[in-house]
Amino acid sequence: MATAAAGPLLGCAATGGLQPSGVRRIAVLGAGFAGVSVAWHLLQHTTSSAPICVELFDEVGVGGGASGASGGLLHPYNPKGKLLWKGAEGWNAALKLLSVAGTACSDTSTTGEFGSTIAPLAWKRGILRLAKQQKHALDFQKNVNNAASDESKIACLGGPAARELVPGLEIPAEGLALYIPQAINVHPQRYLKALWLACELFSRKASTTDCPGTQAVLRNYRVGSLTELKGSYEAVVVCLGAQAMLLPELVDKLPLTSCRGVVAQLQAPRGLRNVYDSQAPNLLFGTWVAVQGERDLLLGATKDWGSMNASPNVDNTEATSALEKLMDETAPFYPSIKKWKVKGWQAGLRAMPPRSSLGSLPLAGCIDELVRSSQLGGYSEQIKNTASTKWWLFGGLGSRGLIHHGWLGDQVAKAVIYRNESLLPQILKQW
Ligand SMILES: Cc1cc2nc3c(=O)[nH]c(=O)nc-3n(C[C@H](O)[C@H](O)[C@H](O)COP(=O)(O)OP(=O)(O)OC[C@H]3O[C@@H](n4cnc5c(N)ncnc54)[C@H](O)[C@@H]3O)c2cc1C
Protein backbone atom coordinates (compact mmCIF):
# COMPACT_ATOMS: atom_id res chain seq x y z
CA MET A 1 0.00 0.00 0.00
CA ALA A 2 1.62 3.25 -1.12
CA THR A 3 1.92 5.93 1.53
CA ALA A 4 3.53 9.33 1.58
CA ALA A 5 4.81 10.53 4.92
CA ALA A 6 5.42 14.08 3.78
CA GLY A 7 3.40 17.08 4.85
CA PRO A 8 0.37 18.38 3.05
CA LEU A 9 1.93 21.01 0.90
CA LEU A 10 3.59 18.65 -1.56
CA GLY A 11 1.72 18.03 -4.76
CA CYS A 12 0.06 14.75 -5.72
CA ALA A 13 2.67 12.06 -5.10
CA ALA A 14 4.33 10.62 -8.17
CA THR A 15 4.12 13.79 -10.20
CA GLY A 16 6.52 15.55 -7.80
CA GLY A 17 4.13 18.46 -7.66
CA LEU A 18 3.81 18.86 -11.43
CA GLN A 19 0.30 17.96 -12.42
CA PRO A 20 -1.49 17.81 -15.73
CA SER A 21 -3.59 20.91 -16.04
CA GLY A 22 -7.17 20.52 -14.87
CA VAL A 23 -6.34 18.08 -12.04
CA ARG A 24 -8.81 18.54 -9.19
CA ARG A 25 -6.88 18.11 -5.96
CA ILE A 26 -9.03 17.15 -2.98
CA ALA A 27 -7.91 16.39 0.60
CA VAL A 28 -9.89 13.91 2.66
CA LEU A 29 -8.99 13.99 6.37
CA GLY A 30 -9.40 10.68 8.19
CA ALA A 31 -9.14 7.14 6.86
CA GLY A 32 -12.09 5.56 8.65
CA PHE A 33 -15.40 4.38 7.16
CA ALA A 34 -16.36 7.97 6.27
CA GLY A 35 -13.06 9.08 4.71
CA VAL A 36 -12.30 5.96 2.66
CA SER A 37 -15.86 5.85 1.33
CA VAL A 38 -15.69 9.53 0.32
CA ALA A 39 -12.30 8.92 -1.33
CA TRP A 40 -13.69 6.01 -3.38
CA HIS A 41 -16.74 7.96 -4.47
CA LEU A 42 -14.71 11.07 -5.35
CA LEU A 43 -12.48 9.01 -7.62
CA GLN A 44 -15.51 7.74 -9.52
CA HIS A 45 -15.91 11.30 -10.87
CA THR A 46 -12.51 11.42 -12.55
CA THR A 47 -12.60 12.39 -16.23
CA SER A 48 -9.95 12.94 -18.87
CA SER A 49 -10.48 16.70 -18.77
CA ALA A 50 -10.74 16.95 -14.98
CA PRO A 51 -8.88 14.07 -13.34
CA ILE A 52 -9.31 13.69 -9.58
CA CYS A 53 -6.36 13.50 -7.19
CA VAL A 54 -7.46 12.40 -3.71
CA GLU A 55 -5.04 12.77 -0.81
CA LEU A 56 -6.21 10.84 2.24
CA PHE A 57 -4.68 12.07 5.50
CA ASP A 58 -4.52 9.95 8.63
CA GLU A 59 -2.16 10.20 11.54
CA VAL A 60 -2.40 6.45 12.25
CA GLY A 61 -3.20 4.87 8.91
CA VAL A 62 -6.24 3.26 7.30
CA GLY A 63 -8.69 2.06 9.97
CA GLY A 64 -6.69 3.57 12.82
CA GLY A 65 -9.68 5.20 14.55
CA ALA A 66 -13.12 4.07 15.71
CA SER A 67 -13.81 2.27 12.44
CA GLY A 68 -10.94 -0.15 12.89
CA ALA A 69 -11.95 -0.80 16.50
CA SER A 70 -15.62 -1.35 15.74
CA GLY A 71 -17.60 -4.57 15.95
CA GLY A 72 -18.32 -4.40 12.23
CA LEU A 73 -22.03 -5.19 12.64
CA LEU A 74 -24.05 -4.07 9.63
CA HIS A 75 -27.84 -4.02 9.34
CA PRO A 76 -30.41 -1.32 8.55
CA TYR A 77 -32.66 -1.44 11.65
CA ASN A 78 -32.93 0.63 14.82
CA PRO A 79 -33.06 -1.07 18.24
CA LYS A 80 -36.84 -1.41 17.95
CA GLY A 81 -36.63 -3.21 14.64
CA LYS A 82 -37.70 -0.23 12.52
CA LEU A 83 -35.89 0.59 9.28
CA LEU A 84 -33.44 3.45 9.90
CA TRP A 85 -33.54 6.77 8.04
CA LYS A 86 -32.09 5.94 4.59
CA GLY A 87 -31.59 2.42 5.90
CA ALA A 88 -32.36 0.74 2.57
CA GLU A 89 -30.07 3.09 0.63
CA GLY A 90 -27.34 2.71 3.25
CA TRP A 91 -27.62 -1.06 3.17
CA ASN A 92 -27.38 -1.32 -0.62
CA ALA A 93 -24.47 1.12 -0.80
CA ALA A 94 -22.57 -0.70 1.95
CA LEU A 95 -23.00 -4.01 0.12
CA LYS A 96 -21.65 -2.39 -3.07
CA LEU A 97 -18.59 -1.10 -1.25
CA LEU A 98 -17.99 -4.51 0.31
CA SER A 99 -18.09 -5.99 -3.15
CA VAL A 100 -15.65 -3.33 -4.45
CA ALA A 101 -13.30 -4.12 -1.56
CA GLY A 102 -13.65 -7.87 -2.12
CA THR A 103 -12.80 -7.54 -5.80
CA ALA A 104 -9.72 -5.45 -5.01
CA CYS A 105 -8.24 -7.90 -2.55
CA SER A 106 -8.91 -10.92 -4.69
CA ASP A 107 -7.16 -9.26 -7.61
CA THR A 108 -4.22 -11.59 -8.29
CA SER A 109 -1.83 -8.69 -8.70
CA THR A 110 -2.42 -7.68 -5.09
CA THR A 111 -2.01 -10.94 -3.20
CA GLY A 112 1.18 -9.50 -1.71
CA GLU A 113 -0.97 -6.99 0.20
CA PHE A 114 -3.20 -9.59 1.78
CA GLY A 115 -1.00 -12.69 1.86
CA SER A 116 -1.45 -15.76 -0.29
CA THR A 117 -4.67 -16.84 1.40
CA ILE A 118 -7.30 -14.17 1.46
CA ALA A 119 -9.00 -13.89 4.84
CA PRO A 120 -12.70 -13.02 4.73
CA LEU A 121 -13.72 -9.36 4.74
CA ALA A 122 -17.17 -10.17 6.11
CA TRP A 123 -19.42 -12.95 7.32
CA LYS A 124 -23.14 -13.27 6.67
CA ARG A 125 -24.41 -14.78 9.88
CA GLY A 126 -27.34 -12.55 10.73
CA ILE A 127 -28.01 -10.91 14.07
CA LEU A 128 -30.25 -11.91 16.94
CA ARG A 129 -31.30 -8.96 19.08
CA LEU A 130 -32.61 -10.08 22.44
CA ALA A 131 -35.47 -8.27 24.16
CA LYS A 132 -34.23 -7.42 27.64
CA GLN A 133 -37.62 -6.09 28.71
CA GLN A 134 -41.24 -6.72 27.80
CA LYS A 135 -41.36 -3.25 26.18
CA HIS A 136 -38.61 -4.25 23.70
CA ALA A 137 -40.48 -7.43 22.83
CA LEU A 138 -43.62 -5.41 22.06
CA ASP A 139 -41.62 -3.06 19.82
CA PHE A 140 -40.12 -5.99 17.90
CA GLN A 141 -43.54 -7.52 17.42
CA LYS A 142 -45.07 -4.24 16.25
CA ASN A 143 -42.32 -3.50 13.73
CA VAL A 144 -42.23 -7.01 12.33
CA ASN A 145 -46.01 -6.88 11.88
CA ASN A 146 -45.83 -3.43 10.27
CA ALA A 147 -43.14 -4.41 7.78
CA ALA A 148 -44.68 -5.57 4.50
CA SER A 149 -44.45 -9.33 4.83
CA ASP A 150 -43.15 -9.93 1.31
CA GLU A 151 -40.27 -7.47 1.75
CA SER A 152 -39.57 -7.98 5.41
CA LYS A 153 -36.32 -9.66 6.19
CA ILE A 154 -36.87 -9.64 9.92
CA ALA A 155 -38.72 -12.00 12.21
CA CYS A 156 -39.67 -12.34 15.84
CA LEU A 157 -38.46 -15.54 17.43
CA GLY A 158 -39.62 -17.07 20.69
CA GLY A 159 -37.16 -18.45 23.24
CA PRO A 160 -36.96 -22.03 21.89
CA ALA A 161 -36.35 -20.91 18.27
CA ALA A 162 -33.68 -18.43 19.41
CA ARG A 163 -31.95 -21.15 21.44
CA GLU A 164 -31.93 -23.38 18.40
CA LEU A 165 -30.06 -20.71 16.46
CA VAL A 166 -27.55 -20.08 19.25
CA PRO A 167 -27.03 -23.18 21.35
CA GLY A 168 -26.24 -22.24 24.94
CA LEU A 169 -28.30 -19.05 24.83
CA GLU A 170 -30.21 -18.34 28.04
CA ILE A 171 -33.55 -16.93 27.02
CA PRO A 172 -36.80 -17.93 28.68
CA ALA A 173 -39.38 -19.85 26.64
CA GLU A 174 -41.66 -16.81 26.77
CA GLY A 175 -38.77 -14.46 25.80
CA LEU A 176 -38.58 -12.82 22.40
CA ALA A 177 -35.78 -11.95 19.99
CA LEU A 178 -35.63 -10.00 16.75
CA TYR A 179 -33.89 -11.99 14.05
CA ILE A 180 -32.22 -10.12 11.16
CA PRO A 181 -31.00 -12.98 8.96
CA GLN A 182 -29.37 -10.84 6.26
CA ALA A 183 -27.18 -8.87 8.73
CA ILE A 184 -23.47 -9.00 8.10
CA ASN A 185 -20.44 -8.59 10.24
CA VAL A 186 -17.44 -7.04 8.64
CA HIS A 187 -13.79 -7.35 9.63
CA PRO A 188 -13.36 -3.57 9.74
CA GLN A 189 -9.57 -3.37 9.40
CA ARG A 190 -9.42 -5.76 6.47
CA TYR A 191 -12.41 -4.18 4.81
CA LEU A 192 -11.02 -0.65 5.01
CA LYS A 193 -7.57 -1.67 3.81
CA ALA A 194 -9.18 -3.49 0.88
CA LEU A 195 -11.40 -0.52 0.04
CA TRP A 196 -8.40 1.80 0.06
CA LEU A 197 -6.56 -0.70 -2.14
CA ALA A 198 -9.54 -0.49 -4.51
CA CYS A 199 -9.03 3.30 -4.60
CA GLU A 200 -5.35 2.85 -5.46
CA LEU A 201 -6.05 0.24 -8.15
CA PHE A 202 -8.81 2.34 -9.64
CA SER A 203 -6.64 5.46 -9.80
CA ARG A 204 -3.68 3.55 -11.26
CA LYS A 205 -5.88 2.14 -14.00
CA ALA A 206 -7.58 5.46 -14.74
CA SER A 207 -4.27 7.32 -14.89
CA THR A 208 -2.75 4.87 -17.36
CA THR A 209 -5.81 4.73 -19.60
CA ASP A 210 -7.91 7.77 -20.34
CA CYS A 211 -7.62 9.95 -17.20
CA PRO A 212 -3.92 10.77 -16.64
CA GLY A 213 -3.42 12.64 -13.39
CA THR A 214 -5.92 10.54 -11.41
CA GLN A 215 -4.34 9.64 -8.09
CA ALA A 216 -5.10 8.20 -4.65
CA VAL A 217 -2.39 9.01 -2.12
CA LEU A 218 -2.30 8.10 1.56
CA ARG A 219 -0.50 10.60 3.77
CA ASN A 220 0.49 9.48 7.27
CA TYR A 221 0.22 12.89 8.78
CA ARG A 222 -1.49 14.54 11.75
CA VAL A 223 -3.49 17.57 10.65
CA GLY A 224 -3.18 20.15 13.42
CA SER A 225 -5.52 22.72 11.91
CA LEU A 226 -7.35 23.33 8.66
CA THR A 227 -5.21 26.39 8.06
CA GLU A 228 -2.29 24.08 7.24
CA LEU A 229 -4.08 23.04 4.07
CA LYS A 230 -4.74 26.57 2.88
CA GLY A 231 -4.60 27.14 -0.81
CA SER A 232 -3.42 23.63 -1.67
CA TYR A 233 -6.73 21.97 -2.41
CA GLU A 234 -9.94 22.86 -4.18
CA ALA A 235 -11.82 21.05 -1.41
CA VAL A 236 -11.06 19.60 2.01
CA VAL A 237 -13.41 17.01 3.47
CA VAL A 238 -13.17 16.55 7.25
CA CYS A 239 -13.88 12.92 8.21
CA LEU A 240 -12.00 12.83 11.51
CA GLY A 241 -14.72 11.16 13.60
CA ALA A 242 -14.82 12.45 17.17
CA GLN A 243 -11.47 14.17 16.71
CA ALA A 244 -13.02 16.69 14.31
CA MET A 245 -14.05 18.44 17.53
CA LEU A 246 -10.37 19.08 18.31
CA LEU A 247 -9.60 21.06 15.16
CA PRO A 248 -9.10 24.68 16.29
CA GLU A 249 -11.52 25.90 13.65
CA LEU A 250 -14.28 23.54 14.84
CA VAL A 251 -13.81 23.52 18.63
CA ASP A 252 -17.19 24.00 20.36
CA LYS A 253 -19.00 24.36 17.02
CA LEU A 254 -20.21 20.82 16.37
CA PRO A 255 -23.18 19.24 18.15
CA LEU A 256 -21.31 16.04 18.93
CA THR A 257 -20.69 14.07 22.11
CA SER A 258 -17.80 11.67 22.32
CA CYS A 259 -18.13 8.16 23.72
CA ARG A 260 -15.22 5.75 24.13
CA GLY A 261 -15.87 2.05 23.64
CA VAL A 262 -13.67 -0.87 24.64
CA VAL A 263 -13.95 -4.29 22.98
CA ALA A 264 -12.53 -7.62 24.15
CA GLN A 265 -11.05 -9.96 21.53
CA LEU A 266 -11.93 -13.46 22.75
CA GLN A 267 -10.70 -16.85 21.65
CA ALA A 268 -12.11 -20.28 22.44
CA PRO A 269 -9.53 -22.20 24.47
CA ARG A 270 -8.38 -25.54 23.07
CA GLY A 271 -10.64 -28.33 24.24
CA LEU A 272 -13.67 -26.09 24.79
CA ARG A 273 -16.63 -28.00 23.52
CA ASN A 274 -19.73 -26.45 22.01
CA VAL A 275 -17.84 -23.37 20.83
CA TYR A 276 -19.97 -20.79 19.06
CA ASP A 277 -21.85 -22.71 16.41
CA SER A 278 -20.46 -22.22 12.89
CA GLN A 279 -23.79 -20.89 11.59
CA ALA A 280 -24.97 -19.06 14.70
CA PRO A 281 -25.85 -15.37 14.35
CA ASN A 282 -24.16 -12.49 16.14
CA LEU A 283 -25.88 -11.26 19.29
CA LEU A 284 -27.05 -7.81 20.32
CA PHE A 285 -28.46 -6.94 23.73
CA GLY A 286 -26.77 -3.82 25.13
CA THR A 287 -23.40 -5.49 24.73
CA TRP A 288 -22.83 -7.51 21.58
CA VAL A 289 -21.06 -10.60 20.32
CA ALA A 290 -19.58 -10.38 16.81
CA VAL A 291 -18.23 -13.64 15.46
CA GLN A 292 -14.96 -13.33 13.57
CA GLY A 293 -14.14 -16.89 12.62
CA GLU A 294 -14.50 -20.34 14.10
CA ARG A 295 -12.84 -19.69 17.43
CA ASP A 296 -12.75 -15.89 17.55
CA LEU A 297 -15.31 -13.45 18.92
CA LEU A 298 -15.41 -9.76 19.63
CA LEU A 299 -17.31 -8.83 22.78
CA GLY A 300 -18.20 -5.17 23.10
CA ALA A 301 -18.61 -2.51 23.99
CA THR A 302 -18.39 -0.24 27.01
CA LYS A 303 -19.62 3.37 26.97
CA ASP A 304 -17.46 6.05 28.50
CA TRP A 305 -19.39 9.22 27.67
CA GLY A 306 -17.44 12.45 27.30
CA SER A 307 -14.04 10.74 27.12
CA MET A 308 -11.71 12.19 24.48
CA ASN A 309 -9.35 9.23 24.65
CA ALA A 310 -9.18 8.03 21.04
CA SER A 311 -6.29 5.64 21.61
CA PRO A 312 -6.78 2.11 20.27
CA ASN A 313 -4.66 0.91 23.21
CA VAL A 314 -6.26 -0.38 26.39
CA ASP A 315 -4.17 -0.42 29.57
CA ASN A 316 -4.54 -3.00 32.35
CA THR A 317 -6.81 -0.86 34.51
CA GLU A 318 -9.17 -0.10 31.65
CA ALA A 319 -9.13 -3.74 30.51
CA THR A 320 -9.98 -5.08 33.98
CA SER A 321 -12.89 -2.72 34.41
CA ALA A 322 -14.16 -3.31 30.84
CA LEU A 323 -14.00 -7.09 31.22
CA GLU A 324 -16.06 -6.98 34.39
CA LYS A 325 -18.74 -4.83 32.76
CA LEU A 326 -18.86 -6.86 29.55
CA MET A 327 -19.07 -10.20 31.37
CA ASP A 328 -21.71 -8.96 33.82
CA GLU A 329 -23.95 -7.96 30.93
CA THR A 330 -23.27 -10.91 28.67
CA ALA A 331 -23.02 -13.96 30.91
CA PRO A 332 -26.70 -13.96 32.00
CA PHE A 333 -27.65 -14.44 28.34
CA TYR A 334 -24.71 -16.50 27.15
CA PRO A 335 -23.04 -18.13 30.18
CA SER A 336 -20.28 -19.97 28.31
CA ILE A 337 -18.73 -16.63 27.35
CA LYS A 338 -16.91 -16.89 30.68
CA LYS A 339 -14.88 -19.81 29.34
CA TRP A 340 -13.45 -17.81 26.44
CA LYS A 341 -9.97 -16.38 26.85
CA VAL A 342 -9.05 -12.74 26.29
CA LYS A 343 -6.62 -12.55 23.39
CA GLY A 344 -6.40 -8.75 23.18
CA TRP A 345 -8.26 -5.47 23.31
CA GLN A 346 -9.32 -2.74 20.94
CA ALA A 347 -10.92 0.63 21.57
CA GLY A 348 -12.16 3.71 19.78
CA LEU A 349 -14.02 6.97 20.19
CA ARG A 350 -17.50 7.35 18.73
CA ALA A 351 -18.77 10.77 17.60
CA MET A 352 -22.38 10.74 18.77
CA PRO A 353 -24.78 13.14 16.99
CA PRO A 354 -27.87 14.66 18.61
CA ARG A 355 -31.17 12.78 18.50
CA SER A 356 -33.84 14.05 16.11
CA SER A 357 -37.37 12.92 15.36
CA LEU A 358 -35.83 10.68 12.67
CA GLY A 359 -33.33 9.15 15.10
CA SER A 360 -29.63 9.95 15.42
CA LEU A 361 -28.54 11.28 12.05
CA PRO A 362 -24.95 11.91 10.95
CA LEU A 363 -23.60 15.38 10.20
CA ALA A 364 -22.81 16.37 6.62
CA GLY A 365 -22.51 19.67 4.82
CA CYS A 366 -20.34 22.59 3.86
CA ILE A 367 -18.45 24.18 6.79
CA ASP A 368 -17.09 27.24 4.95
CA GLU A 369 -18.85 29.56 7.35
CA LEU A 370 -17.60 27.76 10.45
CA VAL A 371 -14.05 27.75 9.16
CA ARG A 372 -14.01 31.31 7.92
CA SER A 373 -15.66 32.68 11.05
CA SER A 374 -12.94 31.12 13.16
CA GLN A 375 -11.62 33.97 15.29
CA LEU A 376 -8.56 32.14 16.54
CA GLY A 377 -5.58 34.48 16.39
CA GLY A 378 -4.33 34.74 12.85
CA TYR A 379 -6.39 31.89 11.44
CA SER A 380 -9.22 33.95 10.09
CA GLU A 381 -7.09 36.14 7.84
CA GLN A 382 -5.19 33.20 6.42
CA ILE A 383 -8.34 31.26 5.77
CA LYS A 384 -10.05 34.22 4.16
CA ASN A 385 -7.21 34.18 1.67
CA THR A 386 -8.13 30.68 0.62
CA ALA A 387 -11.62 31.46 -0.50
CA SER A 388 -11.31 29.06 -3.41
CA THR A 389 -10.97 26.08 -1.07
CA LYS A 390 -14.31 24.65 -0.06
CA TRP A 391 -14.52 22.98 3.34
CA TRP A 392 -16.82 20.04 4.06
CA LEU A 393 -17.70 17.86 7.03
CA PHE A 394 -18.91 14.27 7.11
CA GLY A 395 -19.06 12.90 10.64
CA GLY A 396 -21.16 12.08 13.68
CA LEU A 397 -21.70 8.53 12.47
CA GLY A 398 -22.36 7.48 16.07
CA SER A 399 -22.67 3.73 16.56
CA ARG A 400 -23.75 3.16 12.98
CA GLY A 401 -20.76 3.98 10.83
CA LEU A 402 -21.22 1.07 8.46
CA ILE A 403 -24.84 1.67 7.53
CA HIS A 404 -24.20 5.38 6.92
CA HIS A 405 -20.79 5.41 5.25
CA GLY A 406 -21.65 4.14 1.76
CA TRP A 407 -24.71 6.06 0.61
CA LEU A 408 -23.78 9.26 2.44
CA GLY A 409 -20.16 8.99 1.32
CA ASP A 410 -21.49 8.98 -2.23
CA GLN A 411 -23.73 12.01 -1.58
CA VAL A 412 -20.89 13.94 0.07
CA ALA A 413 -18.58 13.19 -2.87
CA LYS A 414 -21.21 14.49 -5.32
CA ALA A 415 -21.68 17.69 -3.31
CA VAL A 416 -17.89 18.21 -3.25
CA ILE A 417 -17.46 17.55 -6.97
CA TYR A 418 -20.33 19.83 -8.03
CA ARG A 419 -19.54 22.33 -5.23
CA ASN A 420 -23.23 22.19 -4.41
CA GLU A 421 -24.39 21.66 -0.86
CA SER A 422 -28.01 21.26 -1.88
CA LEU A 423 -27.13 17.77 -3.12
CA LEU A 424 -26.98 16.77 0.56
CA PRO A 425 -30.04 16.28 2.77
CA GLN A 426 -30.48 19.63 4.53
CA ILE A 427 -31.40 17.83 7.75
CA LEU A 428 -27.79 16.68 8.16
CA LYS A 429 -26.51 20.25 8.56
CA GLN A 430 -26.97 20.23 12.31
CA TRP A 431 -24.65 23.07 13.33
C1 LIG B 1 -16.16 0.06 20.22
C2 LIG B 1 -16.96 0.47 19.03
C3 LIG B 1 -17.75 -0.47 18.38
C4 LIG B 1 -18.49 -0.10 17.25
N1 LIG B 1 -19.22 -1.04 16.59
C5 LIG B 1 -19.88 -0.70 15.44
C6 LIG B 1 -20.56 -1.68 14.68
O1 LIG B 1 -20.59 -2.85 15.04
N2 LIG B 1 -21.18 -1.29 13.54
C7 LIG B 1 -21.14 0.02 13.11
O2 LIG B 1 -21.73 0.32 12.06
N3 LIG B 1 -20.51 0.97 13.83
C8 LIG B 1 -19.87 0.63 14.97
N4 LIG B 1 -19.22 1.58 15.69
C9 LIG B 1 -19.28 2.98 15.24
C10 LIG B 1 -18.30 3.22 14.11
O3 LIG B 1 -17.05 2.69 14.46
C11 LIG B 1 -18.18 4.71 13.82
O4 LIG B 1 -19.45 5.22 13.50
C12 LIG B 1 -17.25 4.96 12.66
O5 LIG B 1 -16.04 4.32 12.89
C13 LIG B 1 -17.02 6.42 12.40
O6 LIG B 1 -16.20 6.49 11.28
P1 LIG B 1 -15.41 7.80 10.93
O7 LIG B 1 -14.70 7.54 9.67
O8 LIG B 1 -16.33 8.96 11.02
O9 LIG B 1 -14.36 8.00 12.14
P2 LIG B 1 -13.03 7.20 12.52
O10 LIG B 1 -13.10 5.78 12.15
O11 LIG B 1 -12.74 7.52 13.96
O12 LIG B 1 -11.94 7.85 11.57
C14 LIG B 1 -11.29 9.05 11.85
C15 LIG B 1 -9.84 8.91 11.43
O13 LIG B 1 -9.22 10.18 11.54
C16 LIG B 1 -7.91 10.01 12.01
N5 LIG B 1 -7.56 11.29 12.67
C17 LIG B 1 -8.16 11.87 13.73
N6 LIG B 1 -7.61 13.07 13.98
C18 LIG B 1 -6.66 13.26 13.04
C19 LIG B 1 -5.79 14.34 12.73
N7 LIG B 1 -5.78 15.47 13.45
N8 LIG B 1 -4.96 14.22 11.66
C20 LIG B 1 -4.96 13.11 10.91
N9 LIG B 1 -5.76 12.05 11.15
C21 LIG B 1 -6.61 12.14 12.21
C22 LIG B 1 -7.97 8.84 12.97
O14 LIG B 1 -6.71 8.20 13.05
C23 LIG B 1 -9.02 7.97 12.29
O15 LIG B 1 -8.47 6.96 11.48
C24 LIG B 1 -18.46 1.25 16.81
C25 LIG B 1 -17.64 2.19 17.45
C26 LIG B 1 -16.89 1.80 18.55
C27 LIG B 1 -15.99 2.81 19.22
Side-chain angles (χ1 to χ4, degrees):
M1 193 170 291
T3 59
L9 298 179
L10 291 180
C12 266
T15 57
L18 294 176
Q19 296 167 21
S21 58
V23 170
R24 302 184 67 180
R25 198 167 165 221
I26 300 170
V28 178
L29 315 188
F33 294 141
V36 182
S37 167
V38 168
W40 168 260
H41 288 106
L42 284 169
L43 287 166
Q44 305 315 298
H45 293 274
T46 197
T47 63
S48 54
S49 57
I52 306 285
C53 170
V54 172
E55 294 180 37
L56 182 64
F57 287 80
D58 200 293
E59 62 176 328
V60 181
V62 174
S67 303
S70 75
L73 298 172
L74 169 61
H75 65 90
Y77 298 100
N78 78 5
K80 296 181 177 177
K82 203 169 166 198
L83 204 58
L84 291 166
W85 177 84
K86 299 291 178 194
E89 291 86 343
W91 172 254
N92 289 331
L95 292 189
K96 264 192 211 159
L97 285 184
L98 268 167
S99 154
V100 165
T103 305
C105 67
S106 61
D107 184 316
T108 50
S109 67
T110 64
T111 45
E113 304 271 352
F114 282 84
S116 48
T117 51
I118 294 164
L121 296 186
W123 298 265
K124 189 176 171 198
R125 281 177 167 262
I127 287 177
L128 200 59
R129 187 187 274 279
L130 308 185
K132 287 173 76 179
Q133 301 165 11
Q134 183 62 16
K135 182 176 151 316
H136 301 156
L138 293 174
D139 285 336
F140 293 170
Q141 201 101 58
K142 191 174 95 191
N143 285 312
V144 168
N145 291 342
N146 285 350
S149 57
D150 52 342
E151 284 172 25
S152 169
K153 306 253 182 359
I154 51 175
C156 259
L157 302 185
R163 282 200 300 262
E164 213 164 289
L165 278 177
V166 184
L169 195 64
E170 288 284 328
I171 172 170
E174 67 283 9
L176 215 57
L178 183 77
Y179 181 38
I180 312 170
Q182 85 272 33
I184 285 176
N185 58 309
V186 172
H187 189 290
Q189 293 273 357
R190 277 190 222 136
Y191 162 61
L192 279 171
K193 289 198 162 96
L195 188 56
W196 177 244
L197 183 64
C199 293
E200 292 180 325
L201 294 176
F202 178 89
S203 66
R204 236 177 273 165
K205 193 166 173 203
S207 66
T208 51
T209 50
D210 48 355
C211 302
T214 306
Q215 276 198 77
V217 183
L218 180 62
R219 295 198 179 280
N220 280 126
Y221 181 83
R222 176 174 177 79
V223 178
S225 79
L226 295 177
T227 325
E228 288 177 32
L229 308 171
K230 64 186 165 71
S232 304
Y233 301 94
E234 87 161 51
V236 175
V237 193
V238 178
C239 301
L240 296 177
Q243 292 184 86
M245 293 189 272
L246 299 179
L247 284 174
E249 294 84 357
L250 301 182
V251 166
D252 293 336
K253 292 184 180 167
L254 301 175
L256 291 173
T257 312
S258 59
C259 178
R260 180 169 169 83
V262 174
V263 177
Q265 301 160 348
L266 301 183
Q267 195 162 52
R270 288 195 182 282
L272 178 66
R273 285 202 261 155
N274 300 329
V275 289
Y276 212 79
D277 190 86
S278 65
Q279 299 301 313
N282 305 288
L283 294 175
L284 266 178
F285 48 95
T287 56
W288 43 260
V289 170
V291 189
Q292 289 219 318
E294 275 188 16
R295 306 185 75 82
D296 294 288
L297 295 179
L298 294 179
L299 174 62
T302 56
K303 287 190 175 138
D304 184 2
W305 289 93
S307 165
M308 274 313 284
N309 178 3
S311 170
N313 303 323
V314 178
D315 66 22
N316 283 343
T317 314
E318 193 178 31
T320 307
S321 139
L323 191 61
E324 197 182 324
K325 280 186 209 154
L326 294 172
M327 285 296 168
D328 280 357
E329 281 208 44
T330 311
F333 297 94
Y334 188 65
S336 54
I337 199 76
K338 290 205 157 169
K339 297 189 187 142
W340 290 65
K341 297 283 169 230
V342 177
K343 187 175 76 168
W345 291 93
Q346 59 197 52
L349 203 56
R350 309 172 186 92
M352 308 302 287
R355 286 196 63 79
S356 77
S357 57
L358 296 174
S360 298
L361 305 184
L363 272 53
C366 178
I367 50 170
D368 283 359
E369 275 177 30
L370 293 190
V371 175
R372 297 211 173 96
S373 69
S374 170
Q375 292 303 312
L376 294 157
Y379 285 130
S380 60
E381 273 315 303
Q382 289 176 34
I383 285 175
K384 272 177 200 154
N385 293 337
T386 65
S388 64
T389 300
K390 251 185 140 23
W391 311 86
W392 300 85
L393 175 80
F394 177 28
L397 273 60
S399 302
R400 302 201 178 108
L402 276 166
I403 195 67
H404 290 310
H405 80 304
W407 183 76
L408 266 174
D410 188 8
Q411 305 307 302
V412 169
K414 284 188 181 117
V416 171
I417 291 292
Y418 296 109
R419 297 175 76 84
N420 182 354
E421 193 181 27
S422 69
L423 296 173
L424 286 170
Q426 181 65 33
I427 195 169
L428 304 185
K429 189 155 181 170
Q430 303 176 66
W431 52 86

